[in-house]
Amino acid sequence: MNQPVRLEANTGNRIFYFTVDKLTENEVSIMMYNASYTFIRTGASWTNHVLNKFIMAQHLINEVVAVAQKAQ
């Protein structure tokens, strides 16, 4: 059984580790520190899905999506 690849998003002096559950052209779903996040494309940017339990800051969403797309 394959383990998900752990990726890291760097924002200034912090590193956030996450795994990608789903990656499509208009949706990215990740698991970060036992919390699930889904981001949707709205025009040229990405935003938190309305059903997310927690809201992620925009600068971290941008970094997470960029890292996930690069790792694809």
Side-chain angles (χ1 to χ4, degrees):
M1 182 175 213
N2 289 338
Q3 293 265 338
V5 175
R6 187 174 83 159
L7 302 173
E8 60 182 54
N10 296 294
T11 61
N13 61 350
R14 297 179 112 186
I15 299 173
F16 297 88
Y17 297 99
F18 66 97
T19 57
V20 177
D21 295 330
K22 180 180 179 184
L23 178 63
T24 67
E25 185 177 327
N26 295 310
E27 184 176 314
V28 177
S29 295
I30 67 161
M31 183 66 72
M32 180 183 284
Y33 304 112
N34 295 323
S36 178
Y37 295 89
T38 300
F39 312 114
I40 55 170
R41 183 187 298 269
T42 55
S45 64
W46 292 86
T47 60
N48 287 286
H49 192 283
V50 294
L51 298 179
N52 283 359
K53 183 175 181 178
F54 301 109
I55 302 300
M56 186 176 287
Q58 188 63 52
H59 70 280
L60 185 51
I61 293 173
N62 296 342
E63 181 66 16
V64 164
V65 170
V67 169
Q69 289 174 332
K70 191 178 224 183
Q72 183 179 19

